[in-house]
Amino acid sequence: MIKKLLLFFILLYSILFTPPLQADEVEIFTSGGWFLTIGETDLIFGAGSNLKSTYLSPPDATLVDIKCEKKTSWSVYARKLQTQDLNDLEIFVRRTSDGEGKGSIEGGEYFIPLRESYTELFWGIGERIGITLQYKITGISINLSPGTKNFHINFIVEKTNKP
């Protein structure tokens, strides 16, 4: 019998209380995460076989809010903070909705691999609320030791000069 392998995807949350925005400032707020349990039902051909190697989160695993003035342009970046022995696993993220707001948003519709350095995910102009993100993890195998594993993902937003 295979022991259950638990993978947690924990987001580093933004501070919930911040002072009012100054002109041309931009802030990001994230919420959500992904809790994945892998067990014997994930064996490809039953006992003695390998596990499925790729798993997808729900399409709205994370909600992102971007707060800024209406003409401020911005880019969202993310990186994984490596924890434990997860070097053989890769995590990807993609934007699954535009959210709402009078601003615009572009990029990030396809899965982007996360590294230990920041990677640009998507960009836009003006405020966007309720942007949804989905994750994909690859590299799962029977050789991964059972137990709880954690990925931490850090999101940042930067003001840009993109049109």
Side-chain angles (χ1 to χ4, degrees):
M1 181 168 131
I2 186 171
K3 293 183 180 180
K4 291 196 181 230
L5 173 67
L6 301 175
L7 294 172
F8 292 100
F9 295 88
I10 302 169
L11 305 177
L12 299 180
Y13 293 91
S14 303
I15 297 173
L16 295 178
F17 177 77
T18 56
L21 287 175
Q22 302 299 315
D24 288 339
E25 284 186 347
V26 60
E27 293 179 324
I28 187 169
F29 298 89
T30 61
S31 63
W34 180 24
F35 179 80
L36 171 65
T37 302
I38 299 172
E40 53 192 47
T41 59
D42 294 293
L43 291 168
I44 297 171
F45 299 112
S49 66
N50 206 346
L51 292 166
K52 293 185 267 184
S53 65
T54 301
Y55 294 83
L56 292 174
S57 75
D60 59 352
T62 298
L63 291 175
V64 177
D65 295 343
I66 306 294
K67 305 274 188 164
C68 64
E69 297 293 321
K70 65 181 179 179
K71 293 186 180 185
T72 302
S73 58
W74 46 264
S75 288
V76 170
Y77 299 84
R79 72 182 182 118
K80 68 178 180 178
L81 303 172
Q82 192 68 40
T83 57
Q84 299 173 349
D85 58 343
L86 300 175
N87 292 330
D88 293 336
L89 302 182
E90 283 199 84
I91 186 162
F92 301 79
V93 64
R94 73 173 174 171
R95 181 173 59 84
T96 54
S97 80
D98 293 344
E100 298 178 357
K102 294 186 178 185
S104 63
I105 189 169
E106 293 183 46
E109 296 95 346
Y110 301 100
F111 281 110
I112 299 166
L114 294 181
R115 305 285 181 237
E116 291 184 33
S117 59
Y118 282 105
T119 301
E120 186 176 38
L121 300 180
F122 52 90
W123 56 93
I125 298 173
E127 190 169 282
R128 301 299 301 179
I129 306 299
I131 302 162
T132 55
L133 303 180
Q134 181 179 34
Y135 301 99
K136 175 172 75 169
I137 185 168
T138 63
I140 301 289
S141 81
I142 199 77
N143 297 324
L144 190 62
S145 61
T148 301
K149 312 292 183 189
N150 295 297
F151 273 108
H152 295 272
I153 300 170
N154 191 26
F155 293 92
I156 62 169
V157 64
E158 287 186 349
K159 182 181 165 194
T160 66
N161 293 321
K162 290 184 180 182

